Amino acid sequence: DAGITQSPRHKVTETGTPVTLRCHQTENHRYMYWYRQDPGHGLRLIHYSYGVKDTDKGEVSDGYSVSRSKTEDFLLTLESATSSQTSVYFCAISEVLSGSYNEQFFGPGTRLTVL
Amino acid sequence: QKEVEQNSGPLSVPEGAIASLNCTYSDRGSQSFFWYRQYSGKSPELIMFIYSNGDKEDGRFTAQLNKASQYVSLLIRDSQPSDSATYLCAVNPQAAGNKLTFGGGTRVLVKP
């Protein structure tokens, strides 16, 4: 998994509760991404980061916030979880170097169920 | 029209045969193209990327890119049961910076 861990790996929570998912990398890559994967929708970008404290929205950012205070950690927060946020969440990392083409490498995923 | 389109499958292939997967994209300025393999319950794994027209081979995998026709394909030669997975196509659109747009994936079943 290219030195990427996600925690927790599984979580069940109730509607209305806050939830924070953590992505940790040991590769010192500049770019980090949060995706959700749902049947029929594929992988969709929630938020991404292009450096410490530098983040931007993806295509499905409503209801989610992120923070990146250190290069190695990228946090995804659901302020008030809803059943529509039940999904599998993947973190990815990439680095843009001479000769690279933004290959993204994925963490193991977090399965979140909101009851 | 979706930005990146793939046939969802399943694509059923006999063991030893060639599996051919296609992906079309809408942004003509897209620069780089990726194929990921995803086993059920696992995370996507990068298997190929291509950025110039033509073919790129890596072991049993060949990626083919045709920018004029806006499609990229993946060939899996000598298909094995272990190749049974969902294959995701991803594209880096011109104005997207370092972001990728993913297709919905093609499920491949290799039958012994």
Side-chain angles (χ1 to χ4, degrees), chain A residues 3 22-33 49-54 67-75 91-95:
Chain A
R22 180 185 184 229
C23 177
H24 178 79
Q25 60 145 328
T26 58
E27 305 295 324
N28 201 36
H29 282 14
R30 178 181 173 189
Y31 298 90
M32 300 185 75
Y33 310 81
S49 170
Y50 46 96
V52 173
K53 299 190 189 307
D54 292 324
S67 66
R68 191 168 178 202
S69 59
K70 298 184 291 185
T71 298
E72 58 266 35
D73 288 326
F74 192 31
L75 303 181
C91 173
I93 65 173
S94 71
E95 186 59 88

Tab-separated table of all heavy atoms in Angstrom, chain A residues 3 22-33 49-54 67-75 91-95:
chain	number	residue	atom	x	y	z
A	3	GLY	N	3.155	2.569	1.708
A	3	GLY	CA	3.394	3.325	2.919
A	3	GLY	C	2.229	4.199	3.324
A	3	GLY	O	2.438	5.302	3.835
A	22	ARG	N	-8.606	9.078	9.394
A	22	ARG	CA	-7.221	9.519	9.303
A	22	ARG	C	-6.494	8.764	8.208
A	22	ARG	O	-6.645	7.552	8.054
A	22	ARG	CB	-6.500	9.292	10.631
A	22	ARG	CG	-5.024	9.725	10.629
A	22	ARG	CD	-4.360	9.348	11.921
A	22	ARG	NE	-2.983	9.832	12.000
A	22	ARG	CZ	-1.944	9.063	12.362
A	22	ARG	NH1	-2.133	7.805	12.679
A	22	ARG	NH2	-0.728	9.587	12.418
A	23	CYS	N	-5.685	9.503	7.459
A	23	CYS	CA	-4.774	8.918	6.475
A	23	CYS	C	-3.359	9.316	6.868
A	23	CYS	O	-3.084	10.501	7.093
A	23	CYS	CB	-5.104	9.431	5.079
A	23	CYS	SG	-3.990	8.836	3.793
A	24	HIS	N	-2.488	8.336	6.935
A	24	HIS	CA	-1.098	8.578	7.325
A	24	HIS	C	-0.174	7.974	6.274
A	24	HIS	O	-0.346	6.821	5.878
A	24	HIS	CB	-0.826	7.929	8.693
A	24	HIS	CG	0.581	8.086	9.153
A	24	HIS	ND1	1.063	9.253	9.714
A	24	HIS	CD2	1.630	7.217	9.118
A	24	HIS	CE1	2.334	9.104	10.025
A	24	HIS	NE2	2.707	7.868	9.670
A	25	GLN	N	0.802	8.755	5.818
A	25	GLN	CA	1.751	8.269	4.819
A	25	GLN	C	3.179	8.420	5.330
A	25	GLN	O	3.491	9.326	6.100
A	25	GLN	CB	1.588	9.044	3.511
A	25	GLN	CG	1.829	10.545	3.665
A	25	GLN	CD	2.482	11.191	2.456
A	25	GLN	OE1	3.271	10.549	1.755
A	25	GLN	NE2	2.201	12.477	2.234
A	26	THR	N	4.012	7.519	4.861
A	26	THR	CA	5.432	7.577	5.230
A	26	THR	C	6.308	7.889	4.019
A	26	THR	O	7.521	7.750	4.089
A	26	THR	CB	5.865	6.242	5.849
A	26	THR	OG1	5.626	5.188	4.906
A	26	THR	CG2	5.111	5.956	7.141
A	27	GLU	N	5.666	8.288	2.908
A	27	GLU	CA	6.392	8.513	1.650
A	27	GLU	C	6.825	9.966	1.451
A	27	GLU	O	7.510	10.294	0.488
A	27	GLU	CB	5.509	8.093	0.459
A	27	GLU	CG	4.993	6.681	0.547
A	27	GLU	CD	6.107	5.661	0.473
A	27	GLU	OE1	7.076	5.885	-0.273
A	27	GLU	OE2	6.019	4.634	1.188
A	28	ASN	N	6.362	10.860	2.326
A	28	ASN	CA	6.677	12.286	2.208
A	28	ASN	C	6.170	12.877	0.890
A	28	ASN	O	6.772	13.810	0.333
A	28	ASN	CB	8.190	12.526	2.328
A	28	ASN	CG	8.500	13.966	2.716
A	28	ASN	OD1	7.770	14.578	3.481
A	28	ASN	ND2	9.578	14.509	2.172
A	29	HIS	N	5.055	12.312	0.371
A	29	HIS	CA	4.466	12.851	-0.851
A	29	HIS	C	3.696	14.126	-0.564
A	29	HIS	O	3.060	14.271	0.477
A	29	HIS	CB	3.528	11.813	-1.484
A	29	HIS	CG	4.259	10.746	-2.229
A	29	HIS	ND1	5.606	10.529	-2.118
A	29	HIS	CD2	3.817	9.826	-3.108
A	29	HIS	CE1	5.967	9.534	-2.890
A	29	HIS	NE2	4.901	9.082	-3.506
A	30	ARG	N	3.750	15.037	-1.519
A	30	ARG	CA	3.124	16.347	-1.347
A	30	ARG	C	1.597	16.272	-1.446
A	30	ARG	O	0.889	16.967	-0.731
A	30	ARG	CB	3.668	17.301	-2.403
A	30	ARG	CG	3.054	18.678	-2.369
A	30	ARG	CD	3.642	19.550	-3.458
A	30	ARG	NE	2.947	20.833	-3.546
A	30	ARG	CZ	3.140	21.712	-4.520
A	30	ARG	NH1	4.001	21.445	-5.485
A	30	ARG	NH2	2.474	22.841	-4.527
A	31	TYR	N	1.082	15.445	-2.368
A	31	TYR	CA	-0.345	15.452	-2.663
A	31	TYR	C	-1.052	14.302	-1.949
A	31	TYR	O	-0.568	13.161	-1.948
A	31	TYR	CB	-0.584	15.332	-4.168
A	31	TYR	CG	-0.004	16.476	-4.957
A	31	TYR	CD1	1.298	16.421	-5.454
A	31	TYR	CD2	-0.745	17.630	-5.183
A	31	TYR	CE1	1.841	17.482	-6.158
A	31	TYR	CE2	-0.213	18.690	-5.893
A	31	TYR	CZ	1.080	18.613	-6.378
A	31	TYR	OH	1.620	19.672	-7.072
A	32	MET	N	-2.183	14.621	-1.371
A	32	MET	CA	-3.015	13.608	-0.731
A	32	MET	C	-4.469	13.846	-1.111
A	32	MET	O	-4.886	14.990	-1.316
A	32	MET	CB	-2.846	13.636	0.797
A	32	MET	CG	-1.410	13.361	1.242
A	32	MET	SD	-1.212	13.247	3.035
A	32	MET	CE	-1.916	11.618	3.360
A	33	TYR	N	-5.221	12.753	-1.194
A	33	TYR	CA	-6.584	12.811	-1.717
A	33	TYR	C	-7.492	11.955	-0.844
A	33	TYR	O	-7.088	10.896	-0.346
A	33	TYR	CB	-6.641	12.256	-3.146
A	33	TYR	CG	-5.608	12.824	-4.093
A	33	TYR	CD1	-4.301	12.333	-4.092
A	33	TYR	CD2	-5.927	13.837	-4.994
A	33	TYR	CE1	-3.344	12.833	-4.963
A	33	TYR	CE2	-4.975	14.344	-5.866
A	33	TYR	CZ	-3.692	13.842	-5.838
A	33	TYR	OH	-2.745	14.354	-6.705
A	49	SER	N	-5.324	17.654	-1.077
A	49	SER	CA	-4.362	18.576	-0.476
A	49	SER	C	-3.102	18.604	-1.331
A	49	SER	O	-2.620	17.562	-1.783
A	49	SER	CB	-4.016	18.115	0.941
A	49	SER	OG	-2.923	18.855	1.450
A	50	TYR	N	-2.590	19.820	-1.519
A	50	TYR	CA	-1.359	19.970	-2.303
A	50	TYR	C	-0.214	20.502	-1.458
A	50	TYR	O	0.774	21.013	-1.970
A	50	TYR	CB	-1.601	20.861	-3.531
A	50	TYR	CG	-2.378	22.122	-3.265
A	50	TYR	CD1	-1.719	23.323	-3.037
A	50	TYR	CD2	-3.760	22.128	-3.246
A	50	TYR	CE1	-2.423	24.491	-2.805
A	50	TYR	CE2	-4.483	23.285	-3.000
A	50	TYR	CZ	-3.806	24.463	-2.779
A	50	TYR	OH	-4.520	25.617	-2.539
A	51	GLY	N	-0.365	20.366	-0.149
A	51	GLY	CA	0.690	20.735	0.783
A	51	GLY	C	0.108	20.968	2.160
A	51	GLY	O	-1.130	20.982	2.335
A	52	VAL	N	0.976	21.144	3.129
A	52	VAL	CA	0.514	21.396	4.491
A	52	VAL	C	-0.357	22.648	4.503
A	52	VAL	O	0.033	23.697	3.975
A	52	VAL	CB	1.717	21.553	5.428
A	52	VAL	CG1	1.249	21.978	6.817
A	52	VAL	CG2	2.504	20.253	5.513
A	53	LYS	N	-1.523	22.505	5.076
A	53	LYS	CA	-2.527	23.561	5.193
A	53	LYS	C	-3.119	24.007	3.856
A	53	LYS	O	-3.922	24.948	3.816
A	53	LYS	CB	-1.973	24.774	5.938
A	53	LYS	CG	-1.528	24.482	7.361
A	53	LYS	CD	-1.232	25.754	8.125
A	53	LYS	CE	-0.586	25.494	9.474
A	53	LYS	NZ	-1.329	24.568	10.309
A	54	ASP	N	-2.768	23.347	2.767
A	54	ASP	CA	-3.299	23.684	1.441
A	54	ASP	C	-4.252	22.589	0.999
A	54	ASP	O	-3.822	21.471	0.687
A	54	ASP	CB	-2.173	23.831	0.422
A	54	ASP	CG	-1.314	25.034	0.696
A	54	ASP	OD1	-1.852	26.068	1.140
A	54	ASP	OD2	-0.089	24.937	0.476
A	67	SER	N	-8.355	18.474	6.972
A	67	SER	CA	-7.259	19.262	7.525
A	67	SER	C	-5.957	18.530	7.305
A	67	SER	O	-5.909	17.291	7.296
A	67	SER	CB	-7.476	19.523	9.024
A	67	SER	OG	-7.411	18.324	9.762
A	68	ARG	N	-4.909	19.318	7.109
A	68	ARG	CA	-3.575	18.746	6.937
A	68	ARG	C	-2.584	19.672	7.634
A	68	ARG	O	-2.162	20.681	7.096
A	68	ARG	CB	-3.235	18.601	5.462
A	68	ARG	CG	-1.968	17.767	5.244
A	68	ARG	CD	-1.814	17.399	3.823
A	68	ARG	NE	-0.605	16.652	3.562
A	68	ARG	CZ	-0.032	16.580	2.378
A	68	ARG	NH1	-0.577	17.199	1.344
A	68	ARG	NH2	1.063	15.868	2.226
A	69	SER	N	-2.218	19.294	8.842
A	69	SER	CA	-1.293	20.090	9.647
A	69	SER	C	0.139	19.572	9.537
A	69	SER	O	1.085	20.266	9.920
A	69	SER	CB	-1.734	20.114	11.113
A	69	SER	OG	-1.791	18.783	11.614
A	70	LYS	N	0.290	18.353	9.043
A	70	LYS	CA	1.611	17.767	8.838
A	70	LYS	C	1.634	17.079	7.480
A	70	LYS	O	0.585	16.619	6.996
A	70	LYS	CB	1.917	16.723	9.926
A	70	LYS	CG	1.968	17.282	11.325
A	70	LYS	CD	2.376	16.203	12.322
A	70	LYS	CE	1.305	15.145	12.486
A	70	LYS	NZ	1.681	14.167	13.553
A	71	THR	N	2.783	16.980	6.864
A	71	THR	CA	2.894	16.340	5.559
A	71	THR	C	2.311	14.939	5.578
A	71	THR	O	1.649	14.520	4.638
A	71	THR	CB	4.364	16.268	5.116
A	71	THR	OG1	4.874	17.581	4.983
A	71	THR	CG2	4.497	15.534	3.784
A	72	GLU	N	2.528	14.215	6.652
A	72	GLU	CA	2.179	12.800	6.668
A	72	GLU	C	0.725	12.492	7.001
A	72	GLU	O	0.289	11.364	6.811
A	72	GLU	CB	3.087	12.046	7.649
A	72	GLU	CG	3.038	12.553	9.077
A	72	GLU	CD	4.144	13.567	9.363
A	72	GLU	OE1	4.491	14.346	8.449
A	72	GLU	OE2	4.640	13.568	10.510
A	73	ASP	N	-0.032	13.465	7.487
A	73	ASP	CA	-1.404	13.185	7.932
A	73	ASP	C	-2.434	14.049	7.198
A	73	ASP	O	-2.276	15.264	7.082
A	73	ASP	CB	-1.549	13.427	9.434
A	73	ASP	CG	-0.844	12.376	10.263
A	73	ASP	OD1	-0.817	11.210	9.822
A	73	ASP	OD2	-0.341	12.725	11.341
A	74	PHE	N	-3.515	13.384	6.777
A	74	PHE	CA	-4.616	14.076	6.103
A	74	PHE	C	-5.899	13.545	6.728
A	74	PHE	O	-6.183	12.352	6.652
A	74	PHE	CB	-4.556	13.779	4.608
A	74	PHE	CG	-5.440	14.639	3.743
A	74	PHE	CD1	-5.753	15.944	4.083
A	74	PHE	CD2	-5.933	14.143	2.543
A	74	PHE	CE1	-6.546	16.734	3.256
A	74	PHE	CE2	-6.724	14.921	1.709
A	74	PHE	CZ	-7.034	16.215	2.071
A	75	LEU	N	-6.630	14.425	7.384
A	75	LEU	CA	-7.826	14.027	8.117
A	75	LEU	C	-9.086	14.413	7.347
A	75	LEU	O	-9.170	15.518	6.811
A	75	LEU	CB	-7.856	14.705	9.488
A	75	LEU	CG	-6.658	14.473	10.400
A	75	LEU	CD1	-6.857	15.203	11.723
A	75	LEU	CD2	-6.428	12.998	10.634
A	91	CYS	N	-7.977	6.853	0.809
A	91	CYS	CA	-6.985	7.908	0.746
A	91	CYS	C	-5.981	7.535	-0.347
A	91	CYS	O	-5.692	6.354	-0.561
A	91	CYS	CB	-6.289	8.023	2.097
A	91	CYS	SG	-4.894	9.151	2.152
A	92	ALA	N	-5.459	8.538	-1.030
A	92	ALA	CA	-4.430	8.301	-2.039
A	92	ALA	C	-3.359	9.367	-1.910
A	92	ALA	O	-3.607	10.457	-1.367
A	92	ALA	CB	-5.028	8.313	-3.447
A	93	ILE	N	-2.168	9.042	-2.404
A	93	ILE	CA	-1.059	9.989	-2.384
A	93	ILE	C	-0.411	10.029	-3.756
A	93	ILE	O	-0.500	9.069	-4.535
A	93	ILE	CB	-0.007	9.639	-1.315
A	93	ILE	CG1	0.679	8.305	-1.626
A	93	ILE	CG2	-0.641	9.599	0.074
A	93	ILE	CD1	1.842	7.989	-0.684
A	94	SER	N	0.237	11.145	-4.050
A	94	SER	CA	1.020	11.229	-5.280
A	94	SER	C	2.104	12.273	-5.115
A	94	SER	O	2.065	13.105	-4.197
A	94	SER	CB	0.128	11.564	-6.492
A	94	SER	OG	-0.323	12.904	-6.436
A	95	GLU	N	3.060	12.203	-6.008
A	95	GLU	CA	4.129	13.189	-6.025
A	95	GLU	C	4.424	13.503	-7.476
A	95	GLU	O	4.405	12.616	-8.323
A	95	GLU	CB	5.368	12.645	-5.311
A	95	GLU	CG	6.483	13.668	-5.146
A	95	GLU	CD	6.012	14.887	-4.362
A	95	GLU	OE1	6.084	14.892	-3.126
A	95	GLU	OE2	5.567	15.855	-5.020
